[in-house]
């Protein structure tokens, strides 16, 4: 199976340091990271582990959903998947905790009813490899709807 690699180069301490994440396998880009911006309301051009997790989850879910729709007898036309990842202080163990992920899905599908689509969407939430990897997150919420 394939192995994908990313590398982060970090300089300085937690609060005053900064780094750069490089997507090595794809060469798709390099992105700045900063702890203060990680937990701030505005990212100001930097990314964070949580945003990268959101990107991975949205991409994985959309691929898995397309396969799930086809397996259920439907024909996927298009979908938009948004993943919102919430990070907060971990009051029990210290540090930070990813406490919630909300997947918002809007799809155009032929051959499935809204109920059938909802079932496929929920099953996909459980079956997506990134969802499986994130199973320790206390809450992964799904809002899935067909578009006309």
């Amino acid at each position: 199976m394939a192995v994908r690699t990313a590398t982060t180069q970090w300089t300085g301490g937690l609060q005053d340091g900064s780094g750069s994440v490089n997507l090595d396998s794809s060469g798709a880009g390099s992105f700045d990271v900063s702890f203060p911006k990680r937990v701030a309301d505005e990212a100001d051009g930097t990314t964070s582990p949580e945003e990268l997790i959101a990107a991975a989850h949205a991409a994985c879910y959309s691929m898995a959903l397309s396969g799930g729709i086809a397996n259920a007898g439907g024909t996927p036309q298009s979908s938009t998947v948004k993943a919102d990842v919430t990070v907060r202080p971990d009051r029990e163990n210290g540090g930070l905790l990813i406490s919630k992920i909300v997947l918002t899905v809007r799809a155009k599908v032929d051959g499935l009813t809204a109920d059938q689509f909802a079932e496929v969407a929920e099953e996909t939430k459980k079956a997506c490899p990134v969802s499986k990897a994130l199973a320790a997150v206390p809450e992964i919420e799904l809002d899935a709807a067909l578009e006309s």
Side-chain angles (χ1 to χ4, degrees), residues 4-140:
R4 299 293 182 251
T5 305
T7 304
T8 299
Q9 195 70 29
W10 187 266
T11 304
L14 179 62
Q15 294 295 333
D16 66 346
S18 62
S20 178
V21 175
N22 189 58
L23 305 181
D24 300 329
S25 301
S26 65
S30 181
F31 305 93
D32 292 336
V33 290
S34 155
F35 183 78
K37 291 180 183 178
R38 176 183 185 182
V39 295
D41 288 334
E42 297 297 323
D44 293 328
T46 65
T47 193
S48 66
E50 292 75 26
E51 184 178 36
L52 295 170
I53 288 170
H57 205 177
C60 183
Y61 184 93
S62 65
M63 291 179 205
L65 180 64
S66 182
I69 290 167
N71 288 341
T75 304
Q77 297 301 317
S78 64
S79 67
T80 300
V81 178
K82 177 183 172 195
D84 294 309
V85 175
T86 301
V87 63
R88 65 166 176 78
D90 184 344
R91 293 172 191 87
E92 293 177 20
N93 301 306
L96 297 175
L97 169 73
I98 294 175
S99 60
K100 182 177 182 179
I101 298 172
V102 177
L103 296 171
T104 304
V105 182
R106 297 297 178 260
K108 292 183 181 180
V109 174
D110 293 332
L112 295 181
T113 66
D115 287 343
Q116 290 170 319
F117 173 75
E119 185 176 323
V120 169
E122 187 62 38
E123 287 303 313
T124 299
K125 185 180 87 168
K126 297 173 194 168
C128 160
V130 172
S131 291
K132 290 177 184 179
L134 296 171
V137 174
E139 184 177 354
I140 299 179

